[in-house]
Amino acid sequence: MAHILGIGIATLDIINSVDGYPAEDAKVRAAAQSIRRGGNTANTLTVLARLGHRCALAGALADDPDSRYIRDDLAAHAVGIAPCRVFAGAHTPISYIVHNLRNGSRTIVHYRDLPEYPFEAFQRIDLSHYDWCHFEGRNVEETAKMLRHAKAHGELPCSLEVEKPRDGIERLFEHADLILFGREYALTRADTPQAFLRGMRSELPGIDLVCAWGEQGAWGMDRDGLDLHAPAWPPPMVVDTLGAGDTFNAGVIDARLRGEPLAAVLAHACRLAGEKCGVEGLRLPSLADNRT
Ligand code: ADP
Ligand code: FRU
């Protein structure tokens, strides 16, 4: 069991499940609607907590009724929120999600006007309580300061999620020990995950690089430049892919913390993420305590 600090977002997800993705300007009726606590880092920490780790979120929270839902859900999953910064009078970020029942796809429209988590709040956290820091690649200016601050703190390993391109995000890379790239970011620089990782390796020697690629699984490149691939783990039926990447990231961090080599790390993460795709929400059958 490790103590893990996640720096990133928590959201309210409003999910409309529809029988086939609607055409533009169509009017369709949802077959079901559900509300969940979401957010990349909040999701990743929830899965890590299920895997037996002690987790805390460092992120921005509003003080509106929707934020109560988020706090209650994180508390129910034993994810601490003491390092969070609460913004009075602000609104909880909401994702409006179209979930296609035919193939499990999730189309996300995210709205937020909540301020980002500031370095000044991060600076107050006693990092000596943690074994691992996981950062969401956003809020570049402040996150760069946080990463530098964390790295100045002895041997604290830091992972960085780079889901999509953002202005100046590359400035964060050199401070991480492990980078988790998403397909959307990789495709801005290469056509294939292998070519992408080869290119990144020449720019970033000495950092573990991972790139998830949906139903094709994930690729990785270890510090010796060894090219690795793990196929996706196919669930009996793809039901819901919302949070697959966040679950994958949890699997990577969990296996890394256990000292697994990168090939085993990828296999473990694909297994967990595949399992997630087979169920709604983050109720992974293989994890003993199923509360979401
Ligand atoms: P996201 O879009 O949620 O960030 P990805 O689509 O990159 O995530 O997928 C992350 C991981 O989830 C993949 O590496 C794979 O292991 C798993 N995964 C995604 N889609 C599927 C699928 N259809 N079947 C099985 N596993 C999947
Ligand atoms: C899934 C997710 C959702 C959230 C959105 C934020 O990866 O974290 O839970 O609404 O992405 O970008």
Side-chain angles (χ1 to χ4, degrees), residues 9-14 36-43 93-97 106 108-110 112 136 138 161 163-164 166 241-246:
I9 65 168
T11 63
L12 192 74
D13 290 356
I14 298 178
R36 287 185 215 152
R37 192 267 317 129
N40 294 14
T41 299
N43 288 340
I94 301 185
S95 290
Y96 300 90
I97 296 167
R106 87 295 180 267
I108 304 175
V109 178
H110 182 60
R112 61 182 296 120
E136 215 170 298
R138 53 184 303 111
E161 178 198 48
E163 192 179 39
K164 54 186 170 201
R166 292 183 200 267
T241 60
L242 179 64
D246 308 331

